[in-house]
Amino acid sequence: MNLIDRYVSEVGKNLPLLNGREDIEKELKSTLEDMLEDRAQSTGRIRDEALEIEVLKEYGSPQKVASTYNPHPYLIGPKIFPFYLFVMKIVLTVVVSVMLVLAGVQAVTDTPFMGADFVKIIGQGLGSALSAAIAAFGNVTLIFIIIERVLPEKEIGGFDDEKEWDPASLAKEPDPDSVSRFELIAEIVFTFVALAILNLYPQWLGMFFFTENEQVFIPLFTEKFFQFVPYINIVLIAEILLDIYLLRNAIWTRLTRLSKVVIDAASLALTVLILRTPDIIAFSAESLTGGPFPPEQAEVFVTIATYTFPIVMVIVIIIQSIELVKAVYRLFKMSRETK
Amino acid sequence: MANTESFENVVLELRRGVIVLAALSQLETEEYGYSLLKKLAELGLEVDQGTLYPLLRRLETQGVLESVWKLEESRPRRYYVISAEGKKLLPKLKKEWAGIVSVMDKMLS
């Protein structure tokens, strides 16, 4: 193998995995032979190793030559990079929030609010949030590296929404119809967590007590509460769907404002119904005496639970009512403006 | 030396923009890579080999050039020639170029 062949083969090794690798090598060899012949003729020298070295030096290092044939010098190209950042922010926010909320819930339900176990669970929660964030970062990046290489250039161009971008979206001071992405993402995360707990981990809605020999679980709610779960699910799923739709469209329309009013009204109605349903709280002096508390302490717990629940529900109702009024006001304001 | 460097970068960018048009205009008759490089140089446009050869392959992938291997003087050479699609594109590019030249002439005179 002469110097030219070795050079060509070295370039080949550095070429990206393309179908045309052999073809590029063949063309490169042919070009180098042309250059050598031309140089020998024009200078009157004979073709020897010194001339080959001179020509190859001029042509550049094999790595540099190979890089000129690389159609994808980027891991993730500039066209899909903004989309990549957008998805990454959402995924990291969701993953970290879910992990932290889960750790918080576990710390509160599994331990008596203090002590080494509580700190340990919180520490583990932070650790798993960090490793979940790193894993999510890796996975999202990997998916985008694949998208960058698999999708044809025209398709990738589709992510570049510059053509659809409306300069009017920058107009004026904060547009009341523009959506806050951060708020929406946070809402999606927390609604999703609520859905997951309600449906997959209803056992977390209660208290665990560890006595010497056994583990006692006292649920917070009675069966009456769980009759509402399908309706709560419908409202929460509708909320998530609306949020995702808003996230994609980035602007409120009359239809989405109306949907928001309906969803807010439904959740307010549900909360009122739940509050008005008797015997919805499962804590009672009887159920608590099974726990590690003396009867007096159990009674204190029952009293706290009995009063806290309606207070919390009333606060929720007030917040929901304000949200509903705001939603109705914005819907009417929008209707007036567009008339 | 920052000035020299930025001057060279700007010149490089300017040239890069015209290489496609230059190559297409000279490939109405078939040429292999090195012969096209020499031809462009003789006409006054020095193009880096690391720019021209990959560009020819890209233009072929885009369908504006066609290529064929020929055995000459016991050496295989890949000949490039403008395709039917390239022939449609070339006059549009020439018109665009004439527009740019005329605008820049006005600006710089």
Side-chain angles (χ1 to χ4, degrees):
Chain A
M1 205 187 240
N2 67 25
L3 203 57
I4 299 294
D5 287 333
R6 269 181 284 164
Y7 178 83
V8 170
S9 138
E10 197 59 35
V11 172
K13 278 185 208 160
N14 287 285
L15 281 175
L17 290 169
L18 294 173
N19 295 333
R21 176 185 278 190
E22 268 180 39
D23 204 50
I24 292 174
E25 288 183 23
K26 198 171 153 192
E27 192 175 12
L28 178 62
K29 184 171 158 60
S30 159
T31 303
L32 288 168
E33 295 290 347
D34 279 330
M35 279 178 79
L36 281 165
E37 192 183 278
D38 189 51
R39 186 65 55 93
Q41 261 178 17
S42 61
T43 56
R45 288 163 64 181
I46 51 156
R47 180 185 159 165
D48 56 5
E49 203 175 274
L51 191 68
E52 286 181 356
I53 290 172
E54 194 181 297
V55 166
L56 291 182
K57 214 166 180 180
E58 213 173 281
Y59 211 88
S61 76
Q63 289 78 9
K64 191 182 146 205
V65 174
S67 72
T68 61
Y69 286 96
N70 187 0
H72 288 295
Y74 306 103
L75 205 57
I76 294 167
K79 276 190 175 173
I80 60 168
F81 193 71
F83 187 56
Y84 164 73
L85 276 187
F86 176 64
V87 172
M88 183 64 89
K89 279 181 202 162
I90 295 179
V91 170
L92 286 184
T93 315
V94 171
V95 166
V96 173
S97 313
V98 168
M99 296 307 286
L100 291 180
V101 169
L102 288 183
V105 169
Q106 203 190 351
V108 170
T109 53
D110 287 5
T111 65
F113 260 114
M114 59 196 88
D117 280 351
F118 184 76
V119 176
K120 196 176 153 196
I121 289 177
I122 291 294
Q124 280 171 349
L126 288 176
S128 38
L130 182 68
S131 47
I134 293 170
F137 180 86
N139 285 326
V140 172
T141 308
L142 192 65
I143 290 166
F144 273 83
I145 292 172
I146 294 169
I147 291 176
E148 173 76 39
R149 274 145 191 80
V150 170
L151 280 189
E153 229 164 277
K154 276 177 195 164
E155 290 284 325
I156 289 177
F159 288 116
D160 187 359
D161 54 359
E162 212 162 311
K163 279 171 215 138
E164 290 165 28
W165 178 71
D166 180 7
S169 63
L170 285 179
K172 302 159 208 158
E173 289 296 292
D175 183 348
D177 291 331
S178 67
V179 300
S180 155
R181 278 187 170 162
F182 181 77
E183 265 175 40
L184 285 175
I185 292 167
E187 198 166 81
I188 291 172
V189 172
F190 290 111
T191 316
F192 185 79
V193 170
L195 256 181
I197 292 175
L198 213 51
N199 292 279
L200 303 174
Y201 308 100
Q203 69 272 18
W204 286 354
L205 300 169
M207 290 173 92
F208 272 107
F209 298 108
F210 297 94
T211 55
E212 274 172 30
N213 304 319
E214 52 173 351
Q215 179 183 326
V216 182
F217 171 68
I218 302 166
L220 178 63
F221 298 111
T222 60
E223 276 306 306
K224 284 190 177 172
F225 172 78
F226 289 97
Q227 289 170 0
F228 290 105
V229 169
Y231 305 103
I232 299 175
N233 282 344
I234 293 172
V235 172
L236 295 183
I237 290 170
E239 185 80 58
I240 291 180
L241 291 178
L242 177 65
D243 286 348
I244 291 173
Y245 180 81
L246 285 170
L247 211 52
R248 282 176 58 94
N249 290 277
I251 194 121
W252 284 95
T253 59
R254 204 179 305 177
L255 183 70
T256 47
R257 289 261 189 236
L258 186 65
S259 313
K260 180 77 181 156
V261 169
V262 172
I263 292 170
D264 282 355
S267 49
L268 177 61
L270 258 178
T271 317
V272 173
L273 269 177
I274 292 170
L275 177 67
R276 289 170 60 92
T277 307
D279 304 326
I280 208 158
I281 288 287
F283 284 155
S284 64
E286 296 82 52
S287 69
L288 279 174
T289 42
F293 303 108
E296 320 81 68
Q297 218 171 338
E299 224 167 291
V300 174
F301 259 113
V302 174
T303 318
I304 292 173
T306 325
Y307 284 104
T308 311
F309 179 69
I311 292 172
V312 170
M313 291 306 268
V314 168
I315 293 173
V316 171
I317 288 171
I318 293 171
I319 294 171
Q320 284 177 334
S321 306
I322 295 171
E323 283 297 311
L324 179 60
V325 170
K326 267 157 69 178
V328 172
Y329 169 75
R330 283 173 183 155
L331 173 67
F332 278 102
K333 202 176 160 213
M334 184 177 239
S335 299
R336 265 210 315 275
E337 279 167 4
T338 49
K339 258 175 204 169
Chain B
M1 292 302 109
N3 274 345
T4 322
E5 207 172 293
S6 49
F7 169 75
E8 278 167 8
N9 281 341
V10 173
V11 170
L12 211 65
E13 288 295 322
L14 281 175
R15 278 165 179 263
R16 197 170 287 159
V18 300
I19 296 170
V20 173
L21 179 55
L24 282 181
S25 71
Q26 298 309 305
L27 285 173
E28 300 208 45
T29 52
E30 54 180 25
E31 301 279 351
Y32 54 93
Y34 190 64
S35 70
L36 178 64
L37 192 88
K38 298 266 290 179
K39 196 173 173 185
L40 292 175
E42 276 162 23
L43 289 165
L45 185 69
E46 297 275 356
V47 183
D48 184 50
Q49 329 187 57
T51 307
L52 184 67
Y53 303 143
L55 175 78
L56 292 174
R57 299 186 72 90
R58 271 205 299 280
L59 292 176
E60 192 195 6
T61 314
Q62 289 165 11
V64 290
L65 290 183
E66 287 168 352
S67 79
V68 62
W69 280 99
K70 285 184 182 178
L71 197 66
E72 279 180 348
E73 305 154 22
S74 77
R75 185 184 312 148
R77 281 186 177 128
R78 188 179 192 154
Y79 277 85
Y80 292 91
V81 71
I82 193 163
S83 68
E85 208 177 311
K87 280 179 185 161
K88 280 188 222 161
L89 181 72
L90 187 58
K92 290 183 197 164
L93 284 178
K94 281 182 181 173
K95 201 177 160 196
E96 200 62 38
W97 172 250
I100 293 171
V101 170
S102 133
V103 167
M104 289 315 291
D105 272 349
K106 262 189 248 167
M107 276 191 204
L108 301 176
S109 61

